[in-house]
């Protein structure tokens, strides 16, 4: 196939050092965001990695990050993926410089760089994804709908093969980034530091009072005190569902526990649907560690 042909053309098996170079370029681009959002492309790159992976269905072993099918319509046009053209465009710049990397490896490595460079835990990662075709795409509707309740969140993450605890651990990534009116219809950031990976998402969920925002947009909550933060209905259920609440409270109380559990769950998310060779995952080094 195309992947083999590309590999034969460069006639070279990339090493960990080569992937570290890609990581470094992504990290540089991420920081070079100027006035974009909160000054970093990190959050939108994380969202690309997640949406590329979160189409996985355990029962049929379809979807996931392997084929990077979001490059093609109609998946690129699925409503859940609105705004991700920004992230795919940035990744295309990197791809031009390192043409040997597959899109699935590139996008998931982008998610790893985003978490690590924004101060999060190390995310073990390994290459091995191959570029697929439009016909490998999964149907619309596999990514979560923010307007739904706890049952939907459980169902979606269970379909990918995650427990409730893992689902809650993953949700802490909403400490990062923001919602955009012209993408999802929702508006605003979840935390006061949307480019720093913290457990603030959980502490804010429990420490602030959340009220329904009175506005013309979709149903979302705002914090009563400053009215500058937001929660989606699917975020708020972490304080309402008994099982979710137990884990969310634990992550609010113990940042190290959150970092550990997030790392494990996110690493697994990025590998959904990927038939790896035996190689062990690597820890890529942050830019700071290479100074
Ligand atoms: Fe998000 N998510 N997510 N998400 N997400 C948005 C933005 C981000 C859900 C809905 C939304 C996860 C789970 C869920 C990030 C990362 C992760 C937006 C706003 C919506 C509506 C998009 C926009 O308008 O730009 C739902 C319903 C989820 C299931 C509960 C993951 C756990 C939290 C898996 C995850 O890692 C990130 C980062 C953003 C911010 C993107 C940005 O451009 O700033």
């Amino acid at each position: 196939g195309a992947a083999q042909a590309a590999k034969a053309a460069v006639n070279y098996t990339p090493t960990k050092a080569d992937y570290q170079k890609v990581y470094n370029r992504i990290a540089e681009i991420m920081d070079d965001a100027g006035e974009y959002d909160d000054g970093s492309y990190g959050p939108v790159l994380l969202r690309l990695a997640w949406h590329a992976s979160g189409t996985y269905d355990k029962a049929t072993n379809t979807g996931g990050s392997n084929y990077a099918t979001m490059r093609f319509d109609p998946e690129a046009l699925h409503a859940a993926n609105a705004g991700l053209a920004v992230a795919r465009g940035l990744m295309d710049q990197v791809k031009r410089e390192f043409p040997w990397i597959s899109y699935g490896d590139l996008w998931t490595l982008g998610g790893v760089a985003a978490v690590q460079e924004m101060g999060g835990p190390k995310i073990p990662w390994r290459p091995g994804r191959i570029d697929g075709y439009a016909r490998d795409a999964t149907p619309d509707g596999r990514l979560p709908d923010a307007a739904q309740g706890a049952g939907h969140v459980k169902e979606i993450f269970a379909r990918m093969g995650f427990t409730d605890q893992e689902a809650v651990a993953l949700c802490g990534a909403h400490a990062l980034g923001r919602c955009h009116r012209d993408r999802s219809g929702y508006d605003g950031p979840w935390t006061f530091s949307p480019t720093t990976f913290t457990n603030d998402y959980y502490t804010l969920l429990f420490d602030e009072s959340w009220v329904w925002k009175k506005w013309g947009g979709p149903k979302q909550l705002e914090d009563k005190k400053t009215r500058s933060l937001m929660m989606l209905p699917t975020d708020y259920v972490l304080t309402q569902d008994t099982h979710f609440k137990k884990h969310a409270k634990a992550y609010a109380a113990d940042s190290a526990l959150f970092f550990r559990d997030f790392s494990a769950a996110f690493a697994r998310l990025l590998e959904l649907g990927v038939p790896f060779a035996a190689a062990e995952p690597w820890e890529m080094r942050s830019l700071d560690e290479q100074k």
Side-chain angles (χ1 to χ4, degrees), residues 99-132:
W100 46 265
I101 197 170
S102 73
Y103 278 94
D105 283 344
L106 178 61
W107 291 355
T108 54
L109 188 54
V112 170
V115 170
Q116 295 188 173
E117 296 298 316
M118 291 191 284
K122 284 295 175 73
I123 308 295
W125 177 89
R126 55 186 156 175
R129 297 160 193 80
I130 55 166
D131 291 336

Side-chain angles (χ1 to χ4, degrees), residues 37 184 223 286:
D37 272 7
S184 61
D223 70 304
S286 69

Side-chain angles (χ1 to χ4, degrees), residues 160-228:
M160 296 176 218
F162 289 112
T163 64
D164 286 359
Q165 175 256 313
E166 290 172 311
V168 174
L170 286 169
C171 281
H174 276 171
L176 300 166
R178 55 173 59 245
C179 296
H180 303 78
R181 281 298 269 152
D182 61 344
R183 297 181 187 176
S184 61
Y186 296 99
D187 189 37
W190 289 266
T191 66
F192 293 111
S193 53
T195 61
T196 308
F197 194 95
T198 64
N199 70 335
D200 289 359
Y201 169 84
Y202 306 103
T203 54
L204 289 162
L205 264 175
F206 292 107
D207 294 349
E208 298 306 318
S209 358
W210 295 96
V211 294
W212 294 107
K213 184 180 172 79
K214 293 193 180 66
W215 73 322
K219 266 187 85 170
Q220 67 175 64
L221 298 112
E222 64 182 8
D223 70 304
K224 211 172 164 181
K225 208 187 299 162
T226 73
R227 302 197 178 268
S228 60

